[in-house]
Amino acid sequence: DQQNVDFTKVGGHVHQLKGSSSSIGAQRVNNVCTAFRSFCEERNIEGCQQYLQHLKQEYYLVKNKLQTLFQVCLKSLASS
């Protein structure tokens, strides 16, 4: 229900995630956050819901890539 959504709070969290994703080079997450924040500013519940799903997908892609990278680094350190 749109009346129960704190768009300012959601937008703030998305802004934080945007900054974090930018600092690690996760450009696709950053781009989704930019669009998501626009929907928050417009108080567009449908757009926010759509981009929340899109953000979840991009987040899990980055998470999996980082986990793989971490495992490769651990194996490299173990073999040194």
Side-chain angles (χ1 to χ4, degrees), residues 14-25:
V14 173
H15 181 70
Q16 285 181 314
L17 182 57
K18 182 179 186 296
S20 299
S21 64
S22 180
S23 71
I24 64 166

Side-chain angles (χ1 to χ4, degrees), residues 20-75:
S20 299
S21 64
S22 180
S23 71
I24 64 166
Q27 190 60 45
R28 287 170 48 169
V29 173
N30 188 292
N31 293 342
V32 172
C33 286
T34 299
F36 194 163
R37 282 200 69 213
S38 294
F39 286 117
C40 289
E41 290 168 2
E42 296 169 5
R43 305 179 69 76
N44 179 330
I45 189 73
E46 292 83 13
C48 286
Q49 289 172 334
Q50 177 185 354
Y51 270 80
L52 176 60
Q53 294 307 312
H54 194 175
L55 184 57
K56 285 180 182 179
Q57 292 171 340
E58 294 300 331
Y59 166 81
Y60 285 114
L61 286 172
V62 170
K63 180 182 174 193
N64 290 336
K65 288 179 182 181
L66 288 173
Q67 285 177 325
T68 300
L69 178 61
F70 184 69
Q71 292 301 320
V72 168
C73 290
L74 285 178
K75 287 179 184 178

